[in-house]
Structure formats: structure tokens, C-alpha cells
Amino acid sequence: MLKYSLEKLFFSNSFCKSNQFRCISHFSASIWDVTSGKHREGDQLNVKGWVKSVRKLKEHAFLEINDGSCNKNLQLVVDKAQLNGAAYGSSVDASGTLGVTPKNQLELKVERLQEFGKCPLSEGYPFYPKKSYPPDYVRNHLHLRPQVSSLASTLRVRHHATKCFNDYLDREGFFQIHTPIITSNDCEGAGEAFLVRPASADLLKQMAKKDVPLDRAYFDRQAYLTVSGQLHLEAMSHGLGKVYTFGPTFRAENSKSPIHLSEFYMLELEEAFMETLEDLTNRIESMIKHVTKSLLDVASEDLAAVRKLTDDSTLEESFSWLDKPYPRITFKEAIHVLEQNKSKLKSVVRPEEGINKEQELFLVSHFQCPLFVIDWPKAIKSFYMRENRTEPALVDAMDFLVPHVGELVGGSVRENEYDRLKAKLPDQEALRWYLELRKFGSVPTAGFGLGLERYLCWVLNVHNIRDVIPFPRWAHNCSM
Amino acid sequence: MLKYSLEKLFFSNSFCKSNQFRCISHFSASIWDVTSGKHREGDQLNVKGWVKSVRKLKEHAFLEINDGSCNKNLQLVVDKAQLNGAAYGSSVDASGTLGVTPKNQLELKVERLQEFGKCPLSEGYPFYPKKSYPPDYVRNHLHLRPQVSSLASTLRVRHHATKCFNDYLDREGFFQIHTPIITSNDCEGAGEAFLVRPASADLLKQMAKKDVPLDRAYFDRQAYLTVSGQLHLEAMSHGLGKVYTFGPTFRAENSKSPIHLSEFYMLELEEAFMETLEDLTNRIESMIKHVTKSLLDVASEDLAAVRKLTDDSTLEESFSWLDKPYPRITFKEAIHVLEQNKSKLKSVVRPEEGINKEQELFLVSHFQCPLFVIDWPKAIKSFYMRENRTEPALVDAMDFLVPHVGELVGGSVRENEYDRLKAKLPDQEALRWYLELRKFGSVPTAGFGLGLERYLCWVLNVHNIRDVIPFPRWAHNCSM
């Protein structure tokens, strides 16, 4: 009765069905496969990709194609008669034999070329061949942006960085927790939060309850997009021990700043039984160094391709900070350095307001190194930070500052004593659950938040955060 | 001038500072370290965790403690005089020497025990010792839930499953793309979407623009929470080739169903140059099998611990489906099977409405195996699915059905011909960008979406989706 028997289906190979000519002997390969040495001269291959350039000589055409698997192109050598209209921007399916150029590069001597789709430049394609465009222009064409090689490299680096962070934390015994995106707790002040409600007015009416305003009917309460998973993560650390969350976070700010977005990715970590700022800063330093070294191992070509747009240094020079120990200076010491150097600063040093971006960058350049600022004044930090047990005007908090970005990581040891926390809690009713963590089996915990985009801006030397995230959202901007 | 010199700071060790006694020789270890054989009899260790049970004999007390690193406990042997009040639920810091019980299990003979935090049962702690609670009860205490061992096991399995999916896709050459959470495209109909706007009325006023309604002032337009990253992923596949997204997805539905949530995690994949349903179903079958085998390698103890609550089978019996080929049956064949068996179904078979959950589960049990349903009627499927080129009433779409969950994966080959897509596009203006992908360098692509929570329900044999996600959100429910 059935069209296919189980065995036939499972072992059948669709390879030959759709593209008969490939069946002769051509093995489907990515350009990464080819350029990383998986194939050699004489191999019969099928490759597919987008045409990045076309050069025509007497009888042959030379096409550079890229398939997104890496930042390198593969050269196709095609009989002009076989070109079938393939031109810059169009997509092709090519089968042939791998040969070697006079310069000892692999190239595909094409026996058959098919075009999937054309690319009519005259009908509005925004990227002309052999032209380079400024990031602002590229960003105006979000949907076609991955076809620009520097953006594709950036997104591959983003993939690898995400994986390196996850791998490091898994090896270190941390469990990834998906903290909620929609939350009824508004951790750091409603001013910066987005509200969430169903789009359907009918649904809201249907769900209406007495004494609940209609726009809150879906969840029976006000619901926000998360501004931080920290408090939820602290709950998870009480039971799971070492936990982290690595996902989207939101800020409703009217900001045009090149280091702020409305939607960005944050790695937040919480480690149970961690009691000191020194352990916390060691954890951060170790993580940043391990992750960046792994990233250089797997993504150096893409990293170099993006960095070369803004910086002439070699990767070795650019990443010399990997071999340095990072200083820990106190907030008081930081202010002292800034005051000693106030003639070099545009902004006024106001310790009661903390350290602004210009001042952060000055500190990094003064110490010629990423650095930690520890022991912050209690008055300017959050309620959940532990009051220093010997200097009660301070909290056990830290910021980690890096070149050209400023603050990359902020963290603290948390207040784990029930009575002290209760006295400081801003909203007793909404955060009763948070207080209970310190009532039932409380343990010391410490943690931090790291912005993925800021990390990428730093390691890629990209100066606008909108160019390291696939779909940037900021004030007045949410296309697609 | 500085409090610490660079070298001193980098090489200093905080270990001895906070807990002087640990400095003698006790090495800080997780219970996973101990139970997985990293330590042996005679080792001087420091462990920390929560007390899961206390048994007192004449001179000694035996404490089982767990630190979240694994589902096993470690037994502490403590002089009664040293107990310091440590009791069920409290958190402790124990140093001592590793010994072996008469049953050849490792245990820690404690020399010093410190209590971090008490756990006053009488003041509202919801989980009493030696009692087991139904999931509905446990779920009412979300913030303390990770302290329940089955929930901790579930969340560790969730971590490992997430990692296994990411690792598999990285090995296969896919790049993870963070598709946007806030979007101005509402892919599958506004009825199921959540709206987003800033909480601050002042901010909206400050950002007001002529001709833009005030509640849209932040982004200059209506903004939604994503219901699918698919269309954005298709844009990324045109340039990057093989891409996926694995993150939160939202539905504003008034549903109490045990397989629906308002916020859930979806793996969506898009593969450029993939042309056939057969390749697509092979990709899915291969992924599910590889990922599940890896998961059994790294998380079998936690998997078994959760499964044993609802199922007496061994893991080998439960996962026998890993060695079977999965049938592919056409929609027409599926309807035929259902009609032949209508006496066994409560619901009426209505092909024009597709296949409902009862019918999905019937098909799985009929074939005694997970299976693919392919070749769906065009009339009941989405605009972006490719019309079958030989049978125009069908689309090249598939559903993958598994026991006790029903549909786990849905996917299709996409329409990559500009003119055909243009004719089918529901909202020409909002989706102009999507159409342009098929105008400039269009390639064949195919892809699918898989629900992480449904996968976890299946492999863990958990029957309510709210029990496999850390912070479930559904109609009228958004606590914390």
C-alpha cells in the first residue's frame, strides 16, 4: 500500500534524483572542504556558490565563487561557451575536476555549469562588483548584507565566539539555563524595560478578568522583556551550583550610541560557593583568555579579514594582551589616576557618578592593558551586591575594562545574608521569591554579565555595535 | 601608588584568604569530580553543597549532600559534635579525607563542617525530606524548583541537549545566527504575536513623531516578538550557506495544552543549495539520531533518573528507535491509514484540515516508529513552501512525528523562483525584502523548525512541557 518501503527509503540516496549529471562521479564539496585540504588535484567535484568576480580571457572565463562556508573563494575555469550567462552576484552549480593554478592554488576546471539565479544589478542590487562600501551603507541593506564578505566573516566569527564561550563553560562544569525573556520581574527599573502584550484585541477581551486591566489580561499582570537574567540565574544556582545564561537582553533607551542596542546578547554567569572578588576576577580573566585563544584557533582567517579593514597590525600584535596579567585596581585608585590626569580628559571626574566611558578608555590606555576596577562605593551600585564586611561604604563589585569599548563585564559577589538583603530589597512583594533564596539553604554566590557584541567589537576592532549583530535594533530602527 | 602590583595580583591566590582552614591541604572538588573517579581514598578534599538527608547513629551523623554538579550525592561522615546544626535543606562547607564505605562507595570523613545557610522548614520551605511531590505542586514553587532532584536532572539534560544540537550543527558546517527577537515582520499572522513597546510613557512622548501613533514611536512602527526566525534565516543562507537559529520563540495563544507554551525554544535550520524533500528528511533523521546518541553518552544518569519516574523500561529499550530507519509516507497515504482505522479514533478524519494530534499519535503507534509525513496539500500549507513541480496541488513539505508528542519537526523546500513567490506573497510591501532574496542570486534552500521542549518531553518521557523549561510562561501564568 505504501509508496515507499521502509528499507528502500532509508537507504535511498536523493543525490542522483534532482541533478542527474552529478551522478557520474562528482562529489559535493564546500569551498571550506576544498581550501582546507580535504580534496586534491584530480578529484571530481561539485560545488555551488555565488559569483564574486568574473574575468574573461580568449576562450576561458575565470569565476571566483564563494559559498559562505569560509572567507576564501574558489576559482572556476569555464569554457566561455559554457558560461550560460553566469555573472557577478548570480548563483551557480558547477561540476568538474580539481586542478592547480601556476601559483599552486586549487581551481575547478568546470565541465558543466548551471545557473540557479541571476542578479540583475540594474534592478536595484545594492552592491556593485569591485566596489567597497562604508558600513552605514551596507547596514541599510540588512537582508542582502550577508552577501558582503566582511559581514559574512563577522557573522562566522560571532558563531565561533558563541561556541567557544559555550564550550569553555561546559568544560568548567557550568549548565546553560534559558532564563525567561518575558518576565514579571523588572530587575533594574521599569524606565528601561519594554512591555509585552498580545497583538490581538479579541484575545485580550476573551481573557479579561475582573480587577485586571485589559492590557494585562494575558498574564494577569504587567509583563516585560528581560533586562537581565541574573536574579533568575541566582535561583538556579541554588540547586544546580554553576550556571549561566547566554541570550537576548533588552533596553528601551533612546540612544544613538555606537555601543548600545535595544536588543543584544549577554552572557550572565552565577557560581555558587564563590565568596571573593578575587575568585570572580580570576574566573573572568581565565574565561576571556581561554575563549579568545580558542577563537584564534578556529576563526583566525575571518578575524584577520575583518580586522584588516581598520588596522594594519598582525593578529599576533593585536592579541598581545592575551599573554599579559590584568591589573586589579580599586575604584579609589582609579579615581586617583583620573584626577592626576584630569588635564588629558574632556569630562570632569565625579566619583559620586562613577566612571564614564571616556574615563574607562583613559584607564585602559594608562595601564596599556585590559584591567579590573574593584571595590566600588555602595552608594552607586545595586542592592544585590554584597557590602564589604570590613569597609561598609564599599561593595564587592567589579568592572572589567577593555580597549576601544570600555566596560565589557560587570559583576559582584551577591548579598547572601537574609537579614542584610531584606533590609536593602527595593520591592519586597515582587522580589519575595528572591529573598527566599537566602532564607532556605542560602549559599555565597558571585557572578557577572558580559556583552557579546562588545566582546566582538573589541576582538574584531569594529567601532559600531550594529555591525556585529545580524539584525540590529535601536531607537527608530527595527527593519525586517 | 597602587594597592597591588600587577604581578602580585595576577599570581596571588584567593583560596587561602576567605577560609583559612582549607589551606592545610584540602583540594576543592565537585561531587561530579569525586563520583566520576577523579579522586581516590585518602585524598584531602573540600566539598560544598546542600544537605539532602541526615541519619544519626550513636557518635556519627551521615549526611547525603548534593552540589548540583550531577544527580549523585556524596555521603559525609561527621562527628555529632561537629554537626553545628546542619540539617535537611541547609548548605554546608565540609573538609576531610576521602574514605570508602563497606559497600565500596566513596564517602568524606569530615574533619571540619561549616554551615552557610539554614533551611527553616517550619517557615514555609515547600519540600519536606523523604516526600515526593507531583509536578503541578513542584511547579508552584518555581524559584526553589531546582532544589528538587528530578528538576535539576531535567535542566542538566536540557543543557546537554542544547550543547549536542549546537555541536552537531557546528561539525556539519552550519553557522548559528541570532535571528531577531523583536521584529517588524509578523511571519505567520498577527493573531498569535505579542506586541512590544517601551514601558516608559515619558520616553514615548520624547520620541514622538508626526504621523506615527504614540505607541509605535519607539521603532516608528509596530514591533512584535518573533514567531519564527525562518524568513530572517533564509536571508542569512543567501551568503552564509548553511545556517541555523536556536532561541526563544513566542505565541500569544490562550492555551492550556500540555505541549504549548507562550515562550519556547526552537531550532530552525536553513540549508542553501538543498533541493529535495528527501535530502531534508535525511538531514533531520541524521541530526535526531546523532544528537540523541551524543546525549545518551553525556547525560545517561540524569536521563535515567527522570525517565524512571514514569517508565520502567531500561534506557536501551526506551531508545531502541535510534537503530530503526524512519518511514516516509505521503500525506495521502497517512490519510488512507487514518480512514482505514477511523473506528479506533475519537476525532473525524478531515484531510482539508490536516492531521490533528490524536491522529499524529495514531500514525506513530501504527508504524511503531517515528515517521515523516511528506507531500502535503498546498491549500493547507504556507506561502513560502515550494509547489511540487510535477503535482501542483502539493507542496514539498514534511512533518516529523514522534511518540507521545506528535509533531516534533515541520519543514519544507522553499519557493526559490521569483515569479512564483511574488504571485503567492501575502504582504508585498512588508515582505519586499524577502522577495528580493529570490531576485538577486536566488538559490534553492530547504529548512525546518524543531521544538526543543517537545524533543525533551519525548526523550525524558515528561508529559507536561512546563516541566522541561526553567521558567514556563502560558496563558495567565508568568511568575517571576
Side-chain angles (χ1 to χ4, degrees):
Chain A
M1 186 211 82
L2 293 178
K3 192 172 161 189
Y4 305 125
S5 79
L6 303 192
E7 291 71 21
K8 224 171 90 189
L9 268 163
F10 188 59
F11 297 106
S12 75
N13 186 344
S14 69
F15 207 64
C16 300
K17 215 167 108 181
S18 63
N19 238 330
Q20 205 58 41
F21 71 92
R22 270 192 273 148
C23 285
I24 310 165
S25 61
H26 294 99
F27 184 83
S28 190
S30 73
I31 293 179
W32 188 86
D33 286 343
V34 177
T35 58
S36 66
K38 208 169 149 185
H39 297 285
R40 60 178 77 183
E41 197 176 350
D43 283 0
Q44 303 271 301
L45 294 185
N46 169 260
V47 295
K48 306 181 194 71
W50 291 270
V51 178
K52 293 295 175 179
S53 74
V54 181
R55 194 161 46 94
K56 291 181 187 170
L57 291 184
K58 282 179 199 161
E59 287 166 16
H60 292 103
F62 297 89
L63 274 59
E64 295 272 330
I65 72 163
N66 184 282
D67 64 359
S69 62
C70 62
N71 76 329
K72 285 193 181 138
N73 299 333
L74 180 68
Q75 179 164 282
L76 307 183
V77 189
V78 189
D79 260 10
K80 269 189 187 169
Q82 289 243 10
L83 255 188
N84 284 330
Y88 169 80
S90 69
S91 50
V92 296
D93 178 332
S95 292
T97 307
L98 213 51
V100 175
T101 66
K103 287 184 176 173
N104 213 25
Q105 303 266 311
L106 290 170
E107 65 179 4
L108 193 73
K109 296 177 189 305
V110 175
E111 289 141 28
R112 176 158 172 174
L113 188 78
Q114 252 192 337
E115 200 183 30
F116 284 121
K118 301 197 175 303
C119 184
L121 297 183
S122 60
E123 289 178 37
Y125 190 66
F127 308 121
Y128 269 63
K130 293 176 192 164
K131 279 197 72 171
S132 71
Y133 296 93
D136 287 5
Y137 174 85
V138 174
R139 204 184 305 128
N140 281 332
H141 305 279
L142 277 191
H143 59 303
L144 301 174
R145 196 164 69 144
Q147 300 178 19
V148 174
S149 67
S150 59
L151 213 284
S153 283
T154 299
L155 293 175
R156 284 190 295 263
V157 170
R158 187 179 167 106
H159 161 83
H160 288 299
T162 304
K163 184 142 201 333
C164 290
F165 277 112
N166 283 318
D167 287 350
Y168 168 83
L169 292 167
D170 180 70
R171 276 199 312 275
E172 293 285 310
F174 286 84
F175 300 110
Q176 184 175 10
I177 299 295
H178 296 124
T179 51
I181 305 304
I182 302 177
T183 171
S184 52
N185 279 118
D186 154 35
C187 170
E188 305 194 356
E192 294 185 351
F194 287 101
L195 290 178
V196 173
R197 69 163 178 83
S200 162
D202 285 346
L203 181 70
L204 283 174
K205 269 184 222 157
Q206 171 196 330
M207 294 181 69
K209 273 192 181 177
K210 212 185 138 204
D211 302 328
V212 177
L214 196 61
D215 65 352
R216 301 181 187 191
Y218 188 85
F219 288 121
D220 295 349
R221 60 185 88 191
Q222 199 68 279
Y224 308 92
L225 292 188
T226 183
V227 294
S228 164
Q230 181 196 317
L231 304 188
H232 295 85
L233 215 49
E234 288 186 49
M236 289 289 148
S237 75
H238 283 69
L240 285 164
K242 294 159 87 172
V243 290
Y244 74 104
T245 185
F246 194 7
T249 314
F250 306 86
R251 293 286 184 284
E253 289 173 301
N254 185 10
S255 166
K256 288 178 186 162
S257 145
I259 60 159
H260 289 90
L261 289 164
S262 304
E263 173 178 328
F264 58 99
Y265 275 68
M266 186 146 69
L267 191 167
E268 294 181 90
L269 178 150
E270 196 72 20
E271 190 159 349
F273 311 113
M274 184 180 266
E275 297 178 69
T276 67
L277 261 192
E278 211 166 340
D279 283 347
L280 183 63
T281 53
N282 289 344
R283 162 67 69 200
I284 294 164
E285 179 165 341
S286 167
M287 181 185 74
I288 298 271
K289 288 179 171 177
H290 275 96
V291 166
T292 308
K293 281 174 185 167
S294 304
L295 186 61
L296 282 166
D297 282 343
V298 292
S300 61
E301 286 186 5
D302 280 316
L303 266 165
V306 179
R307 287 193 67 94
K308 77 161 196 254
L309 299 175
T310 57
D311 185 3
D312 292 331
S313 318
T314 64
L315 280 190
E316 204 162 58
E317 289 161 354
S318 304
F319 288 87
S320 61
W321 52 264
L322 280 172
D323 298 317
K324 293 182 187 173
Y326 304 154
R328 277 78 168 152
I329 65 168
T330 65
F331 178 80
K332 205 171 152 187
E333 287 160 353
I335 295 296
H336 183 73
V337 170
L338 294 173
E339 278 169 348
Q340 295 269 311
N341 292 279
K342 62 184 173 189
S343 62
K344 298 176 193 155
L345 294 167
K346 286 183 198 153
S347 58
V348 181
V349 182
R350 292 199 179 90
E352 70 282 8
E353 290 175 10
I355 299 173
N356 68 23
K357 179 150 192 249
E358 184 204 12
Q359 296 161 5
E360 289 174 350
L361 295 178
F362 180 83
L363 289 169
V364 174
S365 101
H366 179 82
F367 288 96
Q368 298 192 304
C369 193
L371 80 158
F372 292 94
V373 179
I374 62 173
D375 295 350
W376 285 69
K378 183 166 65 179
I380 57 173
K381 288 287 188 181
S382 302
F383 73 93
Y384 50 73
M385 296 181 176
R386 188 175 67 177
E387 188 182 288
N388 191 288
R389 298 297 190 248
T390 50
E391 292 186 58
L394 302 179
V395 282
D396 295 338
M398 48 74 39
D399 277 6
F400 178 60
L401 312 180
V402 302
H404 122 65
V405 160
E407 185 194 341
L408 174 66
V409 183
S412 71
V413 182
R414 319 303 188 187
E415 185 53 74
N416 69 313
E417 275 186 37
Y418 180 77
D419 292 329
R420 286 174 184 261
L421 183 65
K422 193 174 178 188
K424 291 169 75 183
L425 211 60
D427 183 344
Q428 300 280 342
E429 186 43 38
L431 290 176
R432 198 174 47 79
W433 67 266
Y434 181 70
L435 191 58
E436 282 197 352
L437 299 177
R438 269 66 193 195
K439 185 169 193 176
F440 303 119
S442 177
V443 297
T445 73
F448 63 81
L450 171 148
L452 173 63
E453 288 78 14
R454 290 188 180 184
Y455 172 78
L456 291 172
C457 282
W458 176 34
V459 297
L460 289 168
N461 206 44
V462 166
H463 287 256
N464 192 322
I465 201 166
R466 297 164 198 165
D467 297 324
V468 296
I469 188 167
F471 301 95
R473 276 85 180 84
W474 72 102
H476 300 301
N477 288 276
C478 180
S479 73
M480 296 174 69
Chain B
M1 186 210 79
L2 294 180
K3 191 170 160 190
Y4 305 125
S5 77
L6 303 193
E7 291 71 20
K8 226 173 86 188
L9 268 162
F10 187 59
F11 295 106
S12 74
N13 187 345
S14 69
F15 207 65
C16 300
K17 215 166 103 182
S18 64
N19 237 330
Q20 205 59 41
F21 73 93
R22 267 193 275 148
C23 285
I24 311 165
S25 61
H26 294 100
F27 183 83
S28 189
S30 73
I31 293 179
W32 188 86
D33 285 343
V34 177
T35 57
S36 65
K38 209 169 149 184
H39 298 285
R40 60 179 77 184
E41 197 177 351
D43 283 0
Q44 304 270 299
L45 293 185
N46 169 260
V47 295
K48 305 181 195 73
W50 290 270
V51 178
K52 294 293 174 180
S53 74
V54 181
R55 193 160 47 93
K56 292 180 189 170
L57 291 185
K58 281 178 200 161
E59 287 166 17
H60 293 102
F62 296 89
L63 274 60
E64 295 271 331
I65 72 163
N66 183 282
D67 64 358
S69 62
C70 61
N71 75 330
K72 285 195 181 136
N73 298 333
L74 179 68
Q75 179 164 282
L76 308 183
V77 189
V78 188
D79 260 9
K80 268 188 186 168
Q82 289 243 13
L83 253 189
N84 284 330
Y88 169 80
S90 69
S91 49
V92 296
D93 177 333
S95 293
T97 306
L98 213 51
V100 175
T101 67
K103 286 185 175 171
N104 212 26
Q105 302 266 308
L106 290 170
E107 66 179 4
L108 194 73
K109 296 175 189 307
V110 174
E111 290 141 29
R112 177 159 171 173
L113 188 77
Q114 252 191 337
E115 197 183 32
F116 285 120
K118 301 199 176 302
C119 184
L121 297 184
S122 60
E123 290 179 37
Y125 189 67
F127 309 121
Y128 270 62
K130 292 177 193 165
K131 279 197 71 172
S132 70
Y133 296 93
D136 287 6
Y137 174 85
V138 174
R139 205 185 305 129
N140 281 332
H141 304 279
L142 277 191
H143 59 305
L144 301 174
R145 196 166 66 144
Q147 300 177 20
V148 174
S149 67
S150 60
L151 213 282
S153 284
T154 300
L155 293 175
R156 284 190 294 265
V157 171
R158 187 178 167 107
H159 161 84
H160 288 299
T162 304
K163 184 141 202 333
C164 290
F165 277 112
N166 283 317
D167 287 351
Y168 169 82
L169 292 168
D170 180 70
R171 277 198 313 274
E172 294 285 311
F174 286 83
F175 300 110
Q176 184 175 11
I177 299 296
H178 296 124
T179 51
I181 306 303
I182 303 177
T183 172
S184 52
N185 278 120
D186 154 35
C187 169
E188 305 195 358
E192 294 184 352
F194 287 102
L195 289 179
V196 173
R197 70 164 178 81
S200 163
D202 286 346
L203 181 71
L204 283 174
K205 268 183 221 155
Q206 173 197 328
M207 294 180 70
K209 273 190 180 177
K210 213 184 135 202
D211 302 329
V212 177
L214 195 61
D215 65 352
R216 301 180 187 192
Y218 188 85
F219 288 121
D220 296 349
R221 60 184 88 191
Q222 199 69 278
Y224 308 90
L225 292 187
T226 183
V227 295
S228 164
Q230 180 196 318
L231 304 189
H232 295 84
L233 215 50
E234 288 186 48
M236 289 289 149
S237 75
H238 282 69
L240 285 163
K242 293 159 88 170
V243 290
Y244 74 105
T245 186
F246 194 6
T249 314
F250 305 86
R251 292 286 185 285
E253 289 172 301
N254 185 11
S255 166
K256 288 178 187 162
S257 145
I259 60 160
H260 290 89
L261 289 165
S262 303
E263 173 179 328
F264 58 99
Y265 276 67
M266 186 149 66
L267 190 168
E268 295 181 270
L269 177 150
E270 196 72 23
E271 190 161 348
F273 311 113
M274 184 181 266
E275 298 178 69
T276 67
L277 260 192
E278 209 165 343
D279 283 346
L280 182 65
T281 53
N282 289 344
R283 162 68 69 200
I284 294 164
E285 178 164 342
S286 168
M287 181 184 75
I288 298 270
K289 288 179 170 176
H290 275 95
V291 165
T292 308
K293 282 176 185 166
S294 304
L295 185 62
L296 282 166
D297 282 343
V298 292
S300 61
E301 286 186 5
D302 281 316
L303 266 164
V306 179
R307 287 194 66 95
K308 79 162 193 255
L309 299 175
T310 56
D311 185 2
D312 293 331
S313 317
T314 64
L315 281 189
E316 203 162 58
E317 289 160 355
S318 303
F319 288 88
S320 61
W321 52 264
L322 281 172
D323 299 316
K324 293 182 187 172
Y326 304 155
R328 277 77 170 152
I329 65 167
T330 65
F331 178 80
K332 204 170 152 188
E333 287 159 353
I335 294 296
H336 183 74
V337 170
L338 294 172
E339 278 170 348
Q340 296 268 311
N341 292 279
K342 63 184 173 190
S343 62
K344 298 175 194 156
L345 295 166
K346 285 182 198 156
S347 57
V348 181
V349 182
R350 291 199 180 92
E352 67 283 9
E353 290 174 11
I355 299 172
N356 69 22
K357 177 145 191 258
E358 185 204 11
Q359 296 161 5
E360 289 173 352
L361 294 177
F362 180 84
L363 289 170
V364 174
S365 103
H366 179 83
F367 288 96
Q368 299 191 304
C369 192
L371 79 157
F372 292 93
V373 179
I374 62 172
D375 296 351
W376 286 68
K378 182 165 66 179
I380 56 173
K381 288 288 187 181
S382 302
F383 73 91
Y384 50 73
M385 296 181 175
R386 188 175 67 177
E387 189 182 287
N388 190 290
R389 298 296 189 249
T390 50
E391 291 187 59
L394 304 179
V395 282
D396 295 337
M398 48 73 39
D399 277 7
F400 178 59
L401 311 180
V402 302
H404 121 67
V405 159
E407 185 194 342
L408 174 66
V409 183
S412 71
V413 182
R414 319 304 188 187
E415 184 53 73
N416 69 314
E417 276 186 36
Y418 179 78
D419 292 329
R420 285 173 185 262
L421 183 64
K422 193 174 178 189
K424 289 170 76 183
L425 211 60
D427 183 344
Q428 300 280 341
E429 186 43 39
L431 290 176
R432 199 175 44 82
W433 67 266
Y434 180 71
L435 191 58
E436 282 197 352
L437 299 177
R438 270 66 194 195
K439 185 170 191 174
F440 302 119
S442 177
V443 296
T445 73
F448 63 81
L450 172 148
L452 173 63
E453 287 78 15
R454 289 189 182 184
Y455 172 79
L456 291 172
C457 281
W458 176 33
V459 296
L460 289 168
N461 207 43
V462 165
H463 287 257
N464 191 321
I465 202 166
R466 298 163 197 167
D467 297 325
V468 297
I469 188 167
F471 301 95
R473 276 87 180 82
W474 73 101
H476 300 301
N477 289 276
C478 180
S479 74
M480 296 174 68

